Amino acid sequence: MLVYNSQTHRKEELVPIEEGKIRMYVCGPTVYDQIHIGNARTFLSFDVIRRYLMFKGYQVTFAQNLTDVDDKIINRANEQGRTAADVAEECSQAFIEQMHRFGIMDPDIRPRATREIEAMQEMIQVLIDKGFAYPVPSGDVYFSVRSDHSYGILSGRDLDQLRAGERVEVNDEKRDPFDFALWKAAKPGEPSWPSPWGEGRPGWHTECCAMIHRYLGTPIDIHGGGADLIFPHHENETAQAMCAWDKALANTWMHAGMLRVNGDKMSKSLGNFFTLKEVLDKYPADAVRLLMLQTQYRAPLDFSFERLDGTVGTLERLQACVRNLRWAAGQKPTSGELEGADREFGRVVDAAREEFCAQMDDDFNTAGGLAAIFSLVTSANTYLDAAGEHYACAVCLRAADTLCELCNVLGVDLSASAADELPHELVDLARENAGYEGDSADEAAEALLAARQEARAAKDWGRADAIRDGITALGLVVEDTAAGARLHKKA
Ligand code: AMP
Ligand code: ZN
């Protein structure tokens, strides 16, 4: 498997530190508000990476933090006249809720900054003891970038160039403008914890590093986040690990490209954002996933509601195909003439699976993986159309299972739509209109369709329409196919 490493700018063979196991960490959100769909793109990318690694048989341990103490949280709390802890708790719950709606798997470990103060203080003390960090009179503790000769290793930035090219905040207590706070002295009214350097709170970059060390051990296999975190956040994380423990923080650094609107990065500060919640209130989560996964995770992704509308249709096409294949697979096997075509279709199913894996093995190319899935959908539709009533049930089942399995790797669940359970009210409808006496919704559907067919043959349009209206009133549609009519739920 080839994985692009942001540190070396190359695709590299993924070689786990411990055979068969992958330890990965993805920076979580700062919990002060609902997340936007740009944030969601990064979390989705790593959800799919994790799922594919699991699909390949790796035992994956996935950790993601919640940054629950930060200036943004404190400001929000002050605006709303609440405590920072209260805002952070509410937004953490909201984040977890939206992640569930979006089909993102829970991390195995979800540490919160405010509960990891001790681990962070230990790390800061090691850095001070080794001469890589220094406390100042105000009570802050800074990491000294000048003392770390490999500073810039991840982002490829050189400190002199940085100093010349970027505006940085002026602070007399810092030895270098790029020194960053490991510990921040508390201002009145801010959440704080006692420390050897006075009351204060940890800096953001300290958090991930200490948590990785505590929960996963360093180095880990994969460290991920959005590309905007490479500098300074990830640069600072890796600097701390190298200096504190003489170890790289991660073997592979992976970064998701930015989601953009009209060419601009989606961000809270630009105000050009849509929250994940508002999008999921209007669109199926799987359609949003498909839209995002149609672009490989490293490439920028241009978001628009027109594109998303289009993806809703794509999702329906996928669902309809699985439904048709499952329905066909559930019918009596038909023998005969199409054996050659059946075998050929079977080969197409296997080839689609191989192509999907080849694409995903190439740095998780979900765009290519989805192309393999859609090519199978097209082949399946062609096969079913050509076969009429003469299709092989076994190969239809294999095709449906393959589509579900591959989509499942992308976190797109087709099983619910494929089962498409019919409502029990059909039984009453069939009793009234088709002389049905049993108690099965599936049988009732068959009886109603037969009765409708009978009415149409007898040109009894009134009765045929009444049956169709009764079916429609239950939220179902009659689909006429080459192999006969059937019912399914409206998409
Ligand atoms: P934050 O809460 O700002 O730290 O962001 C959480 C995650 O979302 C980080 O991994 C960011 O890199 C990522 N992120 C922020 N904006 C975008 C965007 N427009 N597209 C993709 N990822 C983003
Ligand atoms: Zn981080």
Side-chain angles (χ1 to χ4, degrees):
M1 260 183 93
L2 291 176
V3 180
Y4 185 89
N5 186 349
S6 311
Q7 182 161 339
T8 57
H9 307 283
R10 274 201 313 263
K11 285 184 192 171
E12 296 168 351
E13 190 61 35
L14 180 69
V15 183
I17 294 166
E18 243 183 286
E19 206 186 322
K21 295 185 180 170
I22 295 285
R23 285 172 293 138
M24 65 189 285
Y25 181 92
V26 175
C27 298
T30 304
V31 281
Y32 70 104
D33 207 342
Q34 288 282 344
I35 62 157
H36 60 62
I37 54 172
N39 306 132
R41 194 244 178 151
T42 289
F43 299 136
L44 172 66
S45 301
F46 288 98
D47 182 57
V48 171
I49 288 167
R50 174 190 189 184
R51 285 171 186 265
Y52 187 65
L53 290 169
M54 289 165 67
F55 171 78
K56 293 284 282 189
Y58 289 109
Q59 190 188 321
V60 181
T61 309
F62 186 102
Q64 179 169 67
N65 66 317
L66 290 171
T67 300
D68 61 352
V69 58
D70 179 84
D71 287 340
K72 289 187 199 131
I73 302 171
I74 295 168
N75 293 343
R76 186 57 54 97
N78 290 341
E79 278 161 31
Q80 299 180 346
R82 303 161 66 189
T83 65
D86 195 26
V87 170
E89 181 55 32
E90 185 186 292
C91 296
S92 298
Q93 289 313 323
F95 169 70
I96 292 168
E97 191 185 324
Q98 298 310 316
M99 287 290 97
H100 288 168
R101 280 179 88 191
F102 198 28
I104 306 274
M105 288 170 69
D106 276 330
D108 300 304
I109 307 159
R110 184 162 11 227
R112 293 166 198 238
T114 54
R115 299 182 197 167
E116 305 294 328
I117 304 293
E118 208 182 307
M120 288 187 254
Q121 291 187 350
E122 269 172 31
M123 188 184 83
I124 295 169
Q125 192 59 56
V126 172
L127 288 169
I128 295 173
D129 293 345
K130 291 176 87 172
F132 292 109
Y134 57 97
V136 296
S138 66
D140 293 345
V141 180
Y142 291 102
F143 182 89
S144 164
V145 291
R146 239 182 300 170
S147 65
D148 172 17
H149 298 299
S150 57
Y151 192 81
I153 189 172
L154 175 65
S155 61
R157 298 186 195 210
D158 174 86
L159 272 176
D160 292 329
Q161 278 171 1
L162 279 172
R163 286 191 198 99
E166 296 199 16
R167 228 159 45 94
V168 280
E169 106 198 57
V170 182
N171 176 334
D172 291 341
E173 290 189 308
K174 285 191 195 179
R175 294 181 191 163
D176 186 290
F178 282 94
D179 287 355
F180 57 90
L182 300 170
W183 186 260
K184 295 179 176 183
K187 300 193 190 85
E190 284 185 358
S192 69
W193 291 262
S195 85
W197 321 288
E199 281 285 317
R201 60 188 162 95
W204 175 37
H205 313 303
T206 312
E207 182 182 330
C208 298
C209 192
M211 289 174 182
I212 289 172
H213 190 62
R214 170 160 185 206
Y215 289 102
L216 298 174
T218 38
I220 54 172
D221 295 286
I222 295 175
H223 191 316
D228 58 342
L229 297 189
I230 296 176
F231 190 87
H233 184 52
H234 288 166
E235 188 70 65
N236 291 351
E237 278 188 31
T238 199
Q240 293 168 83
M242 294 282 262
C243 294
W245 310 302
D246 299 311
K247 279 190 195 159
L249 190 57
N251 280 2
T252 306
W253 286 86
M254 296 180 71
H255 292 98
M258 293 294 106
L259 182 143
R260 310 189 297 202
V261 227
N262 301 324
D264 292 322
K265 173 191 167 187
M266 177 171 286
S267 73
K268 282 268 160 68
S269 54
L270 285 178
N272 61 349
F273 65 91
F274 306 107
T275 64
L276 179 61
K277 180 176 185 309
E278 68 185 312
V279 173
L280 293 184
D281 282 347
K282 292 200 206 99
Y283 289 88
D286 283 345
V288 183
R289 289 182 80 105
L290 280 183
L291 169 78
M292 293 187 179
L293 297 174
Q294 276 166 3
T295 303
Q296 199 260 4
Y297 76 92
R298 277 194 296 128
L301 187 152
D302 288 305
F303 176 83
S304 73
F305 281 104
E306 291 73 40
R307 277 191 74 190
L308 183 51
D309 287 333
T311 317
V312 173
T314 310
L315 175 64
E316 282 167 3
R317 207 161 75 86
L318 200 52
Q319 290 169 334
C321 180
V322 171
R323 197 164 51 224
N324 291 344
L325 286 166
R326 285 240 184 274
W327 182 83
Q331 302 301 300
K332 283 202 184 71
T334 35
S335 61
E337 316 95 87
L338 284 176
E339 242 179 68
D342 302 337
R343 227 179 298 123
E344 178 51 30
F345 182 47
R347 272 195 291 271
V348 169
V349 173
D350 294 340
R353 195 174 201 285
E354 272 169 36
E355 174 62 11
F356 175 87
C357 292
Q359 293 291 338
M360 293 294 283
D361 280 345
D362 181 12
D363 196 26
F364 308 96
N365 185 1
T366 52
L370 275 172
I373 288 174
F374 289 122
S375 149
L376 177 54
V377 167
T378 305
S379 303
N381 291 341
T382 309
Y383 170 74
L384 286 176
D385 279 351
E389 290 180 33
H390 304 279
Y391 47 77
C393 295
V395 75
C396 290
L397 184 63
R398 187 140 60 92
D401 285 349
T402 302
L403 283 172
C404 287
E405 186 191 14
L406 301 184
C407 283
N408 198 38
V409 175
L410 303 177
V412 172
D413 183 9
L414 296 178
S415 58
S417 62
D420 206 18
E421 211 172 280
L422 294 170
H424 197 258
E425 287 93 325
L426 275 173
V427 170
D428 290 335
L429 192 67
R431 283 182 182 159
E432 280 165 35
N433 293 282
Y436 175 65
E437 291 178 342
D439 195 36
S440 144
D442 287 338
E443 283 173 15
E446 302 260 317
L448 282 164
L449 288 170
R452 173 172 163 265
Q453 197 47 40
E454 206 179 273
R456 289 168 111 192
K459 301 204 176 355
D460 182 352
W461 307 118
R463 181 159 179 250
D465 286 351
I467 293 174
R468 178 182 278 258
D469 291 348
I471 289 170
T472 312
L474 294 178
L476 302 170
V477 284
V478 181
E479 192 178 5
D480 289 299
T481 72
R486 81 187 98 122
L487 296 186
H488 65 81
K489 285 184 187 159
K490 268 188 214 139

